[in-house]
Amino acid sequence: MKGRWLFLMAWRDSRRNRSRLFLFMASIVCGIAALVAIYSFGYDLKRSVDEQAATLVGADLSVNSGRPVNKTERAFLDSLGMDRSREERFGSMVLFPRTGGTRLVQIRALSGAFPYYGRLETTPASADQSFRKGGRTALVDNALMLQFNARPGDSIKVGEVTFLIAGALNQAPGQTGISSSVAPIVYIPLSYMAETGLSQKGSRIEYAYYYKFPAGTDVEKQVKGIEPRLEKDDLRYETVEMRKENTGRFFGDLTNFLSLVGFIALLLGCIGVASAIHIYIKEKTATIAIMRCLGVTARKAFMIYLIEVVAIGLVGAIIGSALGSGVQVLLPMVLKDFLPFAISTRISGRAVAQGLCLGGVISVVFGLLPLLSIRKIPPLFALRSSYEQQARTGDPLKWLVYALMLLFIGGFAYLQLGRWMPTIFFTLGVIGAFLILAGVARGLMAFVRIIIRPSWSYLLRQGFTNLYRPNNQTVILMVAIGLSTALISILFFTQGILVKQLGLAGSNNQANMILFDIQSSQEKSVDSLTLKEGLPILERVPVITVRINSINGKTAEEAEQDTIAPRATAGAEAPPHSADASPRSADAQSRRPAGADMTPPRAQRRAFNEELRVTYRSVLSTSEKITAGKWTGQAGSAGEPVPVSLEDGYARHIGVHVGDRISFNVQGTDIPAVVGSLRKVEWGRMQTNFRILFPAGVLEDAPQFHVLLTHTPNTEAAVRYQQAVVRRFPNVSIIDLGLILAILDQLLEKINEVIHFMAAFSVVTGFIVLIASVRNSKYQRIQESVLLRTLGAVRRQVFAISALEYLFLGVLAALTGLLLALAGSWLLARYLFKLPFTVDWVSATGLFLVVSLLTMLIGLLNSRGILNKPTLEILRTEV
Amino acid sequence: MSTILELRNLGKTYQSAGKTLSVLQGINFSISAGSTNAIVGPSGSGKTTLLGICAGLDRPTTGEVILKDRSLNHLSEDQLAQVRNQYVGFVFQNFQLMASLTALENVMVPLELRGDRSAKTRSMELLDRVGLRDRYHHYPVQLSGGEQQRVAMARAFSNQPSILFADEPTGNLDAETSDWIVQLLFGLNRELGTTLILVTHNLELAAQTQRIIKVKGGVII
């Protein structure tokens, strides 16, 4: 009976307050919706990865090598699996003879029935079959076909060979919309590879072997058995299970990130809920005092309102979960360009349950603080509403509630991030942001109090002073609106910084076209062609392919067996991908378990097996700075070790220091060297940078290719130049930075769309909190406006006071948010992107005006009912 | 007659704006069961404070309150709540109905707190008694002041209190309605034997009680 009565009283009490309670709910609906949508999407992704991982790999096992395999290795590879395919993959220019269009693409020279799972989707559908029949045919990425207005039946020239386009390639295993833009694929038969003339010494070709095993084979077990052999030959491999794990991990990280963004929306809503419940309880003080008079204990009174709050939270969570389940169908559309497979969406019971649980928990955690005050409401309040409560000692339970809030935020973050340090940073960051916002809000309000002058008009002064009237919600509103403004502003500002950097990258004096794979015999001719086109030669760099024989006298095997080698510095990372490294170091990273650090023996083994691209010069470039040792621009006399300079990150990665000896294999010739210096390299600069730099006087006669950087003034010049180069030098590859920048711009736009989509939940929540707060203070405003009108104020004056109050609120909130956004953008520019901090003041001003005016508009819309009716009618309805 | 309420050397002070205010000092009296009493005094004399302490809504700073042979001084808040539910009824100047509850539900609350299964029936009877048969399901906002006060009285008597405290029960009512309320109050007192303690400015109303306790400057005169 007792428990039932509590629920009964909660129900009764809520009946006349449904619209207010609905607004409480609405504060958390968006946040719950965001999280349920993301959780559901995450489960859809996982299911899709599990179902389609095989089609992502296209085979049971793929083995990759960055170098041609020898006979023994080939024999071993040919012994695996039941069915085999081979592929050679590399970047090269292609030419469309009909239109003259050229582009750097990814060539895949294929033999065999690959893919064994999924298929090459083509238009027309029969093009895949035509291609496999043999003959000089090619499948060309649909994006490329569209770009150059090519059709099936047209020609495409790859190296020295012209192929007939059998059809457009719509989908290949593991391909995404983004990857298609960045590196469109052209399939040619492997049998024509040699004829193209593109397979030369030093070419960066990736050799892939695909295997299908008999049905029922335990591929993982098979691979486990051959793993030592594969690792010994430095052959990278991937099974379907490994792809599931890697892809799952990547998308897991993505959904975790999106969850954290959604969580911000939820926290905003929690602030709104806490504030709304605070006001609600304040207005229920008389009712609670009466209940206490009638014999309701403090605990029962607390329970009645706790039940109300939890019920509201659950209803809000139900609505949020339903909305989230609907919104989840949008996420695949928003992210479609980043997904390598189609996603089927299903309502996830688990995600809905998580949303409901979250709604219940947050309504308790964030409702508890105002609810605790119920215990202190004395029954005497019913007798004397002007009762001045005796000064109370602090409520120790309040600190327990704060601790619960902290635990909740930290716990949620840990569930997404899985590691303590990022969790701590995120939690502190969130709390810090809220505290900073609240602090800035209070500071601005204090400032406003100072600047008000008695000489100002009454309307202006009343509008200002309403901001800090008793029971005002100014700080809460400023935090809610300010945080929404800050989130959106940071996105705008950061995008501006990145886009500006891209713009600078494409500016007049910077190189916007890079030619590489220029052979020594072609160097003069390419220079001459470039100058003939009226283009400057901004940089010409020789590139030599080398390998490491030994480090400090130890070979690869000796280094591997060396168990007493000192560990690498904690957190040492592989250096950024540079012009000199073979592509596979990036792939190798994906095979390592997440978070694992490489120890020197293993890192050094990679160093031995890696093909390195180095250069030689007598001077340092403007992007280099010596951090240890001494730079020597000219080699010493023959017989002395060559003093090389290593990029400091790379040196840390392979565990070498100044003074260590390295023996290099330069195309069959051993060159002893010593680490003479370490360099810090600005990898973000638009120029060639190298991990290893030789001095002049050593490698001039070594087999090498060249890189040339130039600047084309416009698209026509760029197209003309590329056509000329590709026709005369089909082996030379060209990177059109203008195109890359355009693609990066598109990529940034797409990323922004995703983040904007998530941030929208926060923005909507921010405005719901505003509407809820305006509604909550409606009674107070009614009283004030009735009093003013009774004293003789006309409607215009009452309207003006409200308008000014909300305008000031909007202005202060927008200012608070923008200040925070500027600070956040500066931090991101300086420490994350390492770019100059710039502000688009036009966007900032626009945001400021939009937020301020929108706040005023919403406030006035909610107050309009008070102004249009007779005073007494309002009192009768509302009191 | 037995004593239902006794105050022994009662005093009350408050801290307000950093100063100590002595609102009541050296209050001593006892109330007989079933009697009608009025506490009168000018505004600020401490009569409402005295009422609150007598009813167990507040605690004295000094002295002792004994209600139904039980000292209220050392009871916890929950115990005081139980005492109120069992023995005490209230009628307030501002009616103090719960705005979210209907007239019937307002009256039912004290009975429901006791676990009385016939709460609804009894409450309906009481509302009939105060002439609100047709207003069971109306909310306070839908009732006039007089009707609200009648609901408040029905609620006050619903738990058959031993003692009823009324703070200016006719303070917000017109003369005609006030008379009606007063008759109801005294009528229920006679019928149920409930001890009545009124706080009032209205000397005519006070004169209808069996005893007038005059308070001025925090002391009984």
Side-chain angles (χ1 to χ4, degrees), chain A residues 45-306:
Chain A
L45 267 176
K46 188 169 184 313
R47 193 181 62 251
S48 297
V49 168
D50 286 345
E51 288 168 2
Q52 299 177 56
T55 60
L56 292 176
V57 183
D60 290 320
L61 172 69
S62 80
V63 178
N64 294 271
S65 170
R67 55 174 176 80
V69 297
N70 59 36
K71 277 191 188 152
T72 317
E73 288 162 349
R74 182 64 193 267
F76 163 66
L77 288 169
D78 285 347
S79 69
L80 301 174
M82 176 181 75
D83 200 355
R84 290 163 218 103
S85 298
R86 273 182 58 208
E87 185 183 271
E88 288 179 15
R89 197 187 294 186
F90 55 97
S92 178
M93 296 299 288
V94 294
L95 169 72
F96 292 89
R98 184 170 67 83
T99 58
T102 62
R103 170 85 191 260
L104 181 65
V105 303
Q106 194 184 101
I107 302 291
R108 293 190 184 180
L110 178 67
S111 83
F114 176 83
Y116 300 108
Y117 302 101
R119 57 191 181 90
L120 300 178
E121 290 178 21
T122 57
T123 305
S126 58
D128 182 24
Q129 295 304 313
S130 313
F131 170 71
R132 291 179 195 280
K133 277 184 187 152
R136 215 172 282 219
T137 55
L139 295 174
V140 177
D141 199 300
N142 190 42
L144 204 57
M145 301 275 282
L146 289 170
Q147 185 183 356
F148 293 103
N149 201 23
R151 302 182 287 266
D154 282 357
S155 305
I156 182 169
K157 191 171 178 207
V158 181
E160 300 294 350
V161 181
T162 301
F163 295 87
L164 186 75
I165 300 175
L169 179 70
N170 298 319
Q171 182 74 29
Q175 194 186 15
T176 66
I178 290 289
S179 64
S180 188
S181 305
V182 174
I185 296 169
V186 174
Y187 273 102
I188 61 171
L190 185 61
S191 53
Y192 290 97
M193 182 64 191
E195 213 175 311
T196 62
L198 295 174
S199 178
Q200 299 179 17
K201 204 176 183 74
S203 298
R204 287 175 307 286
I205 298 178
E206 184 80 1
Y207 299 87
Y209 302 84
Y210 299 108
Y211 300 94
K212 184 163 166 45
F213 288 81
T217 306
D218 185 343
V219 176
E220 296 301 311
K221 195 175 168 189
Q222 292 260 329
V223 167
K224 204 88 176 130
I226 60 171
E227 198 175 22
R229 175 70 192 268
L230 291 170
E231 295 219 343
K232 180 176 161 293
D233 291 337
D234 199 40
L235 297 170
R236 287 167 290 116
Y237 59 93
E238 188 178 40
T239 62
V240 172
E241 283 305 310
M242 289 167 72
R243 177 60 72 102
K244 266 191 211 177
E245 193 189 312
N246 288 335
T247 309
R249 194 178 327 124
F250 170 74
F251 285 116
D253 288 345
L254 174 67
T255 53
N256 284 342
F257 167 72
L258 292 176
S259 297
L260 288 174
V261 177
F263 188 50
I264 303 284
L266 192 62
L267 282 179
L268 217 51
C270 293
I271 301 259
V273 164
S275 155
I277 293 172
H278 174 70
I279 299 291
Y280 185 63
I281 297 301
K282 262 189 165 333
E283 290 175 0
K284 288 289 181 177
T285 304
T287 302
I288 294 167
I290 296 166
M291 280 201 256
R292 300 280 281 117
C293 285
L294 297 178
V296 177
T297 61
R299 195 179 68 82
K300 278 190 182 144
F302 170 83
M303 287 303 298
I304 288 168
Y305 286 93
L306 180 64

Side-chain angles (χ1 to χ4, degrees), chain B residues 67-138:
Chain B
L67 178 67
K68 293 276 286 186
D69 297 320
R70 201 172 170 190
S71 173
L72 300 186
N73 284 30
H74 304 293
L75 296 184
S76 67
E77 283 297 330
D78 282 357
Q79 286 168 326
L80 283 172
Q82 274 183 314
V83 164
R84 288 195 293 272
N85 183 242
Q86 266 189 296
Y87 303 123
V88 181
F90 292 96
V91 178
F92 300 97
Q93 181 177 3
N94 291 327
F95 327 130
Q96 299 291 35
L97 298 179
M98 285 187 266
S100 304
L101 274 58
T102 62
L104 182 61
E105 287 164 350
N106 264 285
V107 177
M108 282 167 64
V109 168
L111 295 169
E112 286 174 331
L113 279 169
R114 284 179 165 186
D116 188 336
R117 290 185 186 276
S118 62
K120 190 170 179 181
T121 313
R122 174 117 181 89
S123 302
M124 286 164 78
E125 284 169 7
L126 281 164
L127 282 173
D128 292 349
R129 179 69 198 275
V130 299
L132 293 174
R133 177 187 287 272
D134 298 329
R135 312 304 288 271
Y136 291 161
H137 303 296
H138 285 77

Side-chain angles (χ1 to χ4, degrees), chain A residues 1-2 5 8-9 12-17 280 284 286-287 290-300 378-385 387-390 876-877 879, chain B residues 13-17 48-49 51-52 56-58 77-78 81-82 84-85 90 92 96-102 105-106 108-110 112-113 115-116 139 141-142 155 167:
Chain A
M1 174 65 178
K2 282 180 187 165
W5 184 78
L8 186 61
M9 281 301 287
R12 286 169 177 170
D13 186 73
S14 69
R15 275 183 316 209
R16 301 280 289 175
N17 302 288
Y280 185 63
K284 288 289 181 177
T287 302
I290 296 166
M291 280 201 256
R292 300 280 281 117
C293 285
L294 297 178
V296 177
T297 61
R299 195 179 68 82
K300 278 190 182 144
L380 191 62
F381 196 82
L383 203 55
R384 300 169 65 98
S385 57
Y387 171 64
E388 194 176 310
Q389 292 188 344
Q390 301 296 298
R876 280 196 176 134
T877 314
V879 173
Chain B
T13 56
Y14 289 113
Q15 292 294 322
S16 180
T48 303
T49 305
L51 188 78
L57 301 179
D58 198 2
E77 283 297 330
D78 282 357
Q82 274 183 314
R84 288 195 293 272
N85 183 242
F90 292 96
F92 300 97
Q96 299 291 35
L97 298 179
M98 285 187 266
S100 304
L101 274 58
T102 62
E105 287 164 350
N106 264 285
M108 282 167 64
V109 168
E112 286 174 331
L113 279 169
D116 188 336
Y139 289 96
V141 72
Q142 295 167 310
R155 182 183 66 187
D167 179 29

Side-chain angles (χ1 to χ4, degrees), chain A residues 712-857:
Chain A
T712 54
N714 52 53
T715 311
E716 290 75 25
V719 167
R720 202 171 50 242
Y721 180 58
Q722 284 183 75
Q723 284 174 354
V725 169
V726 170
R727 280 186 210 282
R728 261 185 80 178
F729 311 102
N731 62 294
V732 172
S733 297
I734 306 173
I735 297 176
D736 180 352
L737 283 177
L739 183 65
I740 299 294
L741 292 177
I743 292 168
L744 282 176
D745 205 22
Q746 277 175 28
L747 186 60
L748 268 179
E749 265 307 314
K750 289 186 199 295
I751 293 171
N752 266 335
E753 271 172 25
V754 175
I755 299 178
H756 278 144
F757 181 77
M758 295 313 304
F761 288 97
S762 294
V763 172
V764 171
T765 301
F767 281 103
I768 289 174
V769 170
L770 169 63
I771 293 168
S773 297
V774 167
R775 295 282 299 179
N776 283 339
S777 59
K778 194 173 177 182
Y779 181 63
Q780 201 172 16
R781 291 172 197 289
I782 287 169
Q783 284 190 310
E784 287 165 8
S785 72
V786 163
L787 184 59
L788 282 171
R789 287 174 68 186
T790 307
L791 293 174
V794 296
R795 281 191 304 174
R796 182 186 58 78
Q797 288 170 313
V798 177
F799 178 87
I801 291 170
S802 285
L804 286 168
E805 180 186 345
Y806 285 116
L807 182 64
F808 296 149
L809 184 66
V811 162
L812 291 177
L815 199 58
T816 309
L818 282 170
L819 285 173
L820 197 65
L822 286 170
S825 305
W826 176 82
L827 285 168
L828 285 171
R830 187 174 158 83
Y831 293 106
L832 182 66
F833 302 121
K834 295 184 173 39
L835 292 172
F837 172 66
T838 54
V839 179
D840 180 356
W841 291 109
V842 173
S843 297
T845 308
L847 272 166
F848 175 79
L849 288 172
V850 165
V851 172
S852 305
L853 293 173
L854 207 53
T855 306
M856 185 179 75
L857 197 62

